Every structure is written in structure tokens, then in C-alpha cells.
Amino acid sequence: MTEGLNTNKGKWSLAVLRVSQTSAKVWVGTLFHTLRKPEQACVELIKPDGTRIRKDIVSKDWQRPFRYVYQRFFTTVEFEGLEPDTHYEVEFIRRTDSIYREVEEWQVLRHGQFDTLPAALPAAGERPFTVALGSCFYAHRDGGQAAGSYRALYERGPENVRPHVTFLTGDQVYLDIGFDSLSFVRSEIRERVADDYAQHWQLLGSILSRGATWMLPDDHEYWNDYPFYDSLIPTLLALKIEDVRETWTKASEDGVRRIQQSPRVETFDIDELSFCLADLRSYRDDDRFLPERDFDRLTGWAKGLTGPGVLVIPQPLIVAPNPLERNLLSYRDQYARLLEALGETGHDVVVMSGDVHFGRIATTTLGPNGGKLVEVIASPLSNLTFLDGIATSTPERNPEPFPHASVRPQGWSSYPVDCPDAVSVRQGWWLSAYPKDRTTEHFMTAAFHRNAEGRVALKMDAWRVRERDDANLPKRDFNTVEVTLS
């Protein structure tokens, strides 16, 4: 096989979407409209000893990422029977046409790598199980810097911070930015959504192909404050027309379900450390952020914790009422019931989130049963620019007591919130691309291991994506924050 010569290679995608201790799911294809489907292709998994497992792809396997857009295509393949805590490589390969019929030539289009989940939580002195966390990626001035920094840390970073998996917690694309959002033409709406995904997935490629990536959507995978359309933002006024809104909704739903393949509620465990990812954006209505059946799965996970839990959601839990747009606190009944469930067992819960355009670590008491809440917010990977740059934010270091009095469950008090650290701020200039003070572009890592006393320990770091150190690795933004969980 050969890498070959192909100026379109950057338009192909490979994303490792899921891993478990023994399996992996890989997404391959293209989101660009200029490429044609390979008649023969495959994905090969490369074991540590160099042997390969091949999954063939034939014409009927290709699917459309957008149901009414015909040129772009993808498929997924799954590998099973893998070993826990093992590093694998994958290659997306196609057969190329040749003037010599007897010569079979195959071309590697994309390469990826990942680690399966460990069977047990690593002990002190071993490489910890490390999650990378990021959100809010606006492509305009990134230039590949976010993915380049992530790649450097993943491939060359110190073992104690090198990510195994990644959680992207929303706004991986901004579909509602720009005056093209005003279009009333169905085909233009669909093509704009598809083109935005193509651009963003190309820029994020070095993240998506290194370690498994779970993705949750927030509102900009749809539009600002989705699913509501009462905004007076000029570029979103066309949403008040039912046909425009329906077309936009279907195209954006396709992106979330077929490209990001976001879970409603999904869990996995490493020993007593339990992870839960929940899409609290896509299924909102006037009264709830999740349908009751899915909400029961979420609260059932919380009530069943036998050790620390990690809840991954697209918006923070420690929030105040927002008069401008809805947050989780806007859904008082489900919010209060979620808090009750999270606090029931007395185990500590780590919330990983994004959305708010600042990075911060905050801790507080989680109800009367002895648990604590550690909230980790990583936002943004790449800041909004020009007029949209007024939506940037700086860290809120003195939040109100948690939870807000309007949603305080019976028997709970409101507890002080401590902020051990927050990501640094950059000064804005009115005549620049960044007119307002903004949080430094970053992602975070959260490393879990079992300490010498047998308890779960967590170390958290923030990494600046647009600044490198002498080793050409992303610079740390603040000193490591350490927490012991129970």
C-alpha cells in the first residue's frame, strides 16, 4: 500500500467515535461535495505487533450525512475483540484506478490511533486515565492551532497528561453565524450547514483521529437558544418562517446524529469510577431538557453510583438565572430532580461542560449527604471574532451559592462555591478581530488514577492552544489543580 499523490487527501475524514475496553467505532468518509465514492475501500486496524484486521467497504455501505444533500458520504466500522488499555492504529484506505489492470494499488487516505479503555483504574505511578475536554470552536481565526496543539500533547506530551479520550461538549460548529443565515432557500440552507461541517471537521481532524471522541451538541449545532426562535438577532429572523425553520432543523439534526453521532444518555465504567454523557440540548421543550424516559436513565445512573461519578453535559450546572436565553436552571423541575439524584449517594460528582466562553474549575457541596461537586468548564477552543466577538466572556470567579434558591431541593442548603482556578483572559480592542476581553483559547485535561490510599485522585490542567513552550507543546495556563474523590 502507498500514501500516493492526492491533493484531496485533506478532504477525507477519519474519526474514532467510541472505544470500550474491547471495541472501537470508526467513522470514515468525506463532508466535501467534490469527491466521489470509492468503489472499493476498507478500514484496517493495526495491532501493536503489526498484524492487521481489515473491514471492507463496498458501495452500498456508504450513507449520506445529510438526508437531502447527495454528494457527501460516510460509513462507520466497528472492531471487537480488542485488548483493554492497548494502543491501536487505524487506516482508511481506498483502491485507486490504474492503467495497468493487473496492478492492484491501494492508497491510504487517513490515519488514526487510539487507546482502548483500561480494565482497571491506573495505580499511582502508572499512566493515569486522561480525558481531554473542550468546547466552542469557531473556525475563522483558528488556522489549525487547536488541533495542532492537541496533536502535540497527544503524541509528545508527558505521560501523566497525554489524553486517552476526548469529550467535546458543544458548539463544535457555529451554524448560525453570518448573514447567509438569512437565506429562505432550502438548498442554500442545507449546503451552508454541510459546508460548515466540512470546514470544521477538516480543522478538527487531528483531534478526531487521535483517541476516541465523544461529542455532545449545544445550541450552535442548531441555532442560538435552540429549540426556541424568539430571538431578535437579525441573522436568525428567518427562523420565524416555518419552512426555513423546518429545513434548518432537519439539516442540523442530521449533523448531530449522523456526523457527531451524539448520544442521548450513554455510560461507561472503569472500576467504581462511572462516566455518563447526556445531551441536554437536542430534546428540549418548554418544560424539560430531556424526555422523561431519558431523564430516568440519567437520574438512575446518578442514584446507582458506587463511587465517584463524572457527568458530561453541554452546559454548566453551577449557574444563575439568565434573562437573555435559557440555561439548565430554566428547567426548574428537572434541574432540582437531577440535583437530588446526584446528591443521593453521597459520592462526589465531577461535571465536565462548556458553552459559556470561559474556562474554570469550581467546587461546592453536593447536598446534605456528604458529596462534593467539582465542575470543570473548558470553553472556547477558538473564540468568536468581529461583531460576534461581543459574545465572548471572562471567568466568573465569585458565583452565587449553589444551588440557586429557586431550585433548591427539600432538605438542601445553598453552599458557597470555591473557584481554585480559571483560564487567563486576553484584552480586547474595538478595531481588532476581538473587540471585547476574552478567555484564552484552550482545552483541559483531567487525569484519573488511584492514589496510595486506594482513593480516586483527579489532576486537572488547562492548555493554551495558541501558545507553545520550548518543546513545542501547548503552554499550561494555570498550575495543576488536584482533588481527591470519594
Side-chain angles (χ1 to χ4, degrees), residues 46-114:
I46 307 168
K47 296 182 177 182
D49 63 4
T51 59
R52 293 175 177 251
I53 300 174
R54 174 168 166 161
K55 297 280 188 176
D56 287 312
I57 302 168
V58 297
S59 295
K60 66 180 179 63
D61 295 326
W62 295 115
Q63 306 171 54
R64 296 175 190 163
F66 302 96
R67 71 193 86 173
Y68 300 115
V69 178
Y70 300 102
Q71 297 93 336
R72 309 157 207 250
F73 51 91
F74 80 99
T75 192
T76 59
V77 298
E78 297 194 35
F79 295 94
E80 298 180 342
L82 307 182
E83 294 295 324
D85 198 19
T86 301
H87 188 76
Y88 293 92
E89 298 181 42
V90 283
E91 290 181 339
F92 174 31
I93 308 167
R94 72 169 178 184
R95 183 175 179 177
T96 59
D97 296 328
S98 174
I99 60 173
Y100 304 106
R101 294 289 182 181
E102 69 277 8
V103 176
E104 186 178 85
E105 185 173 341
W106 291 80
Q107 179 184 48
V108 177
L109 298 173
R110 299 294 293 178
H111 177 273
Q113 52 188 306
F114 64 89

Side-chain angles (χ1 to χ4, degrees), residues 267-323:
T267 64
F268 66 85
D269 300 328
I270 302 174
D271 287 341
E272 75 274 27
L273 179 64
S274 186
F275 292 79
C276 178
L277 297 98
D279 178 357
L280 305 189
R281 170 63 65 176
S282 298
Y283 309 100
R284 292 184 181 188
D285 58 24
D286 288 330
D287 303 313
R288 58 192 185 183
F289 48 70
L290 266 182
E292 282 299 319
R293 183 176 179 180
D294 300 300
F295 185 75
D296 288 344
R297 287 187 62 200
L298 172 56
T299 55
W301 166 81
K303 294 175 182 178
L305 289 174
T306 59
V310 180
L311 175 61
V312 187
I313 52 179
Q315 287 191 309
L317 206 58
I318 301 175
V319 288
N322 186 341

